[in-house]
Amino acid sequence: MLKKITVTVNGTEHTAEVEPRLLLVHFIREVINLTGTHIGCDTSSCGACTILLDGKSIKSCTVLAVQANGKSVTTIEGLAPEGGPLHPLQEGFKENHALHCGFCTPGMIMRAHELLEHNNNPTEEEIRWGIAGNLCRCTGYNNIVKAVQWAGAKMRGAELPNTEPEFRCKNARRRIAKYGAGVRISSNTGQHFNLSTN
Amino acid sequence: MIAQSFQYESPQTLQEAIELLHKYGDEAKIMSGGHSLIPMMKLRFAAPEAVIDINGIPGLAYIKEEDGMVKIGGLTRESELEHSDLLAKHFPIFADVTKLIADPQVRNMGTLGGNLAHGDAANDHPAVMLALRASVVATGAEGEREIPIDEFFYGFYMTALQHGEILTEIRIPVPPAGTGNAYHKLERKVGDYATTGVAVQLTIDSNGIVTAAGIGLTNVNPVPLRAARSEDALIGKPISEETLKLAAQYASEDCSPSSDLRGTEEYKRHVTGVLVKRMILKAAERAMQ
Ligand SMILES: Cc1cc2nc3c(=O)[nH]c(=O)nc-3n(C[C@H](O)[C@H](O)[C@H](O)COP(=O)(O)OP(=O)(O)OC[C@H]3O[C@@H](n4cnc5c(N)ncnc54)[C@H](O)[C@@H]3O)c2cc1C
Ligand code: FES
Ligand code: FES
């Protein structure tokens, strides 16, 4: 039997008649057509589908749309106004190279959003525990940790950390022998580094 | 993955929920956090005709101290247990255990009542409740009854809850001074179910003698297991190399793990013993503080 639900998504009320078995993530992606929220594992393991339900980060592949009746949902699309400035977390991810393919990013950011709400100056350990339910197959997480710290600094008005990625040149010794120390080289992200062995 | 079709009910009172459970009979399932139920329904391991969502019923989530008991509402979320000052005061074990259950998003949904009612020996709270000698309140058409935790877990996904009963409260005796408790589990990765897990609560008197001990084991037995011989090995004596060794040996002998992806039976018996020792030492250290 269809059930009528009203859910406020990113500030706008949506009313729909849905099957009780419809998952919240399918409601978001297919009923109201917001596809920023991704489906990775569909088994509550990867965190790609993370959204905020009444301000709390949850995995929308493991919640029914009917459970969101009368509640408010925030998705990645709701963080910054269309065409307006990015949210500090979005900016932090961009500045710190915290995404490669970007598949995990919306979920990572929504999770980090709740984390920073409780503590806008988290340690590396707190961030790593905080995003333990979000998998990223690309970045190796280091830049994600930096991005969250960067966003925290921006949100509390502190000095912004350096966004230069850690870069180790594998063949540094050989290259120094060839070109001399201090030579500037470019990385594939378009940035420049001085050759050194440390 | 999509679950089989079902009727969805969202009662606003406990009375209404109990009536709905009777109306649908055996085919109805209660939903708390839904984080064991929905995955099982998506995999079609469960296909209830009706889901009775009790989240709309007010007053089922709380943590309070009353009559020498800490009382926790069945619908209290893991994330609330994790950050409760009241629990931190008597039971640092809750901070130990919640941090190791799944991940923050799952803990925003999963509830203590659901974790126990699920009756899964892989879940972490059952062992903790055994160590703390908790009891569980079931509310049905005839009112409330209190079930000691030792009589609660029956078999694979089976508990003492009768059809038409809702787990509404968990009661934990406030321990006397000189008590410490601790939990740890061995897991393959963050958020995994336990390869083995050990919960310990000890009360130690001013002469260093153990006067009470509770030890519960996770995921090394078809039902959550009280390591009764290990408890007895500690009581009436100071903690020593000798008592630690015996407690560890008894736990590894008395559990009944099965070999699976998480390890062989032999390995699980061994690491259960290791964790028993470590958690006794940690609980004892906390008891002395
Ligand atoms: C990715 C993932 C990882 C997980 N890892 C862990 C882990 O490491 N350790 C761990 O302990 N758990 C783990 N869990 C399980 C999680 O903690 C569940 O939330 C918990 O087992 C069930 O609680 P719930 O409130 O979600 O219950 P639900 O899923 O709503 O219900 C579970 C069962 O209990 C019944 N039930 C629920 N509430 C009541 C009630 N009040 N009265 C009577 N019956 C009731 C339901 O009908 C159902 O059969 C994990 C879950 C996921 C999705
Ligand atoms: S898609 Fe929901 S956790 Fe992976
Ligand atoms: S950026 Fe590709 S999965 Fe994280």
Side-chain angles (χ1 to χ4, degrees):
Chain A
M1 204 175 64
L2 293 181
K3 184 126 182 119
K4 189 167 165 191
I5 59 168
T6 301
V7 186
T8 303
V9 182
N10 302 329
T12 309
E13 251 187 35
H14 296 266
T15 299
E17 296 220 332
V18 301
E19 267 196 88
R21 61 178 173 167
L22 181 75
L23 297 172
L24 182 56
V25 71
H26 291 137
F27 175 77
I28 293 169
R29 287 177 57 87
E30 288 154 28
V31 178
I32 56 174
N33 296 318
L34 291 175
T35 54
T37 304
H38 294 162
I39 303 174
C41 63
D42 198 15
T43 55
S44 45
S45 307
C46 76
C49 64
T50 302
I51 55 125
L52 304 180
L53 183 61
D54 279 350
K56 291 204 168 127
S57 56
I58 56 102
K59 294 179 169 179
S60 59
C61 71
T62 309
V63 173
L64 304 169
V66 288
Q67 287 177 273
N69 187 20
K71 297 196 168 154
S72 91
V73 162
T74 309
T75 69
I76 188 76
E77 289 93 341
L79 282 196
E82 184 118 27
L86 292 176
H87 185 276
L89 270 163
Q90 294 171 309
E91 205 182 339
F93 271 61
K94 178 168 166 268
E95 291 300 318
N96 288 276
H97 307 275
L99 59 149
H100 293 180
C101 76
F103 195 85
C104 69
T105 313
M108 279 290 178
I109 288 182
M110 298 319 288
R111 172 60 207 139
H113 193 280
E114 193 196 353
L115 179 75
L116 290 180
E117 197 122 285
H118 291 303
N119 172 8
N120 64 15
N121 192 11
T123 62
E124 174 175 347
E125 197 188 336
E126 285 164 342
I127 295 172
R128 286 186 187 273
W129 275 101
I131 59 169
N134 296 73
L135 301 181
C136 174
R137 302 305 299 270
C138 304
T139 63
Y141 302 99
N142 286 354
N143 288 347
I144 293 178
V145 172
K146 283 190 195 161
V148 176
Q149 279 170 331
W150 191 97
K154 175 128 189 185
M155 286 159 84
R156 62 180 198 274
E159 197 190 326
L160 295 177
N162 179 17
T163 59
E164 284 236 329
E166 264 174 41
F167 183 79
R168 291 238 164 83
C169 179
K170 255 188 177 165
N171 308 316
R173 276 177 210 286
R174 191 163 55 78
R175 292 201 190 180
I176 288 168
K178 195 164 168 190
Y179 306 115
V183 162
R184 283 172 77 73
I185 57 165
S186 326
S187 76
N188 53 8
T189 54
Q191 274 163 323
H192 301 284
F193 304 91
N194 292 328
L195 255 188
S196 79
T197 47
N198 42 39
Chain B
M1 290 173 297
I2 312 284
Q4 194 167 302
S5 290
F6 55 85
Q7 291 285 328
Y8 174 80
E9 301 281 0
S10 47
Q12 301 300 304
T13 66
L14 214 46
Q15 191 56 36
E16 203 187 323
I18 293 165
E19 280 163 18
L20 284 165
L21 285 171
H22 283 284
K23 176 181 153 196
Y24 286 104
D26 280 348
E27 295 303 321
K29 276 276 180 197
I30 297 166
M31 180 164 76
S32 290
H35 269 51
S36 288
L37 183 61
I38 293 175
M40 290 185 85
M41 288 169 62
K42 285 171 72 180
L43 293 165
R44 309 256 174 146
F45 291 150
E49 219 164 76
V51 168
I52 319 288
D53 181 353
I54 60 172
N55 288 274
I57 304 174
L60 289 181
Y62 51 83
I63 304 171
K64 61 184 181 195
E65 192 172 335
E66 210 175 74
D67 315 323
M69 296 273 171
V70 165
K71 299 182 175 174
I72 305 177
L75 209 55
T76 309
R77 314 272 160 195
E78 298 289 349
S79 54
E80 289 159 342
L81 303 174
E82 193 176 353
H83 299 118
S84 152
D85 293 334
L86 175 59
L87 289 181
K89 193 171 111 197
H90 300 297
F91 303 109
I93 193 169
F94 274 102
D96 295 346
V97 67
T98 46
K99 195 176 175 187
L100 295 172
I101 292 178
D103 55 57
Q105 289 97 311
V106 173
R107 296 200 292 272
N108 274 339
M109 291 299 295
T111 66
L112 179 56
N115 196 292
L116 298 173
H118 193 45
D120 185 351
N123 274 1
D124 295 292
H125 282 297
V128 172
M129 295 303 140
L130 285 166
L132 303 184
R133 298 184 193 278
S135 59
V136 158
V137 177
T139 306
E142 269 89 60
E144 287 186 354
R145 67 186 180 110
E146 190 171 335
I147 311 166
I149 200 71
D150 284 280
E151 293 162 24
F152 187 69
F153 301 107
Y154 261 83
F156 194 56
Y157 293 135
M158 272 163 44
T159 68
L161 290 172
Q162 298 295 312
H163 187 76
E165 281 186 330
I166 301 178
L167 195 169
T168 46
E169 190 173 88
I170 294 91
R171 294 183 182 158
I172 308 171
V174 173
T179 300
N181 42 56
Y183 183 77
H184 193 61
K185 79 184 194 193
L186 187 72
E187 50 184 359
R188 296 172 302 176
K189 62 169 192 56
V190 171
D192 192 17
Y193 287 96
T195 302
T196 174
V198 177
V200 174
Q201 174 162 281
L202 296 178
T203 306
I204 300 175
D205 72 12
S206 53
N207 301 319
I209 306 293
V210 176
T211 56
I215 303 181
L217 308 180
T218 301
N219 217 8
V220 285
N221 206 61
V223 286
L225 186 69
R226 175 181 297 288
R229 279 206 299 157
S230 307
E231 293 172 348
D232 291 344
L234 299 174
I235 290 171
K237 301 183 193 110
I239 306 257
S240 66
E241 275 299 322
E242 172 75 15
T243 57
L244 277 173
K245 200 173 137 223
L246 274 180
Q249 182 196 326
Y250 291 152
S252 61
E253 283 171 7
D254 295 349
C255 66
S256 179
S258 44
S259 297
D260 58 18
L261 287 173
R262 292 190 176 82
T264 61
E265 182 193 332
E266 189 193 1
Y267 170 73
K268 289 182 184 183
R269 285 189 192 277
H270 177 75
V271 286
T272 299
V274 173
L275 280 191
V276 164
K277 273 192 197 171
R278 286 189 195 163
M279 289 308 102
I280 290 172
L281 289 173
K282 194 160 174 186
E285 190 189 309
R286 286 176 175 171
M288 317 278 199
Q289 274 164 11

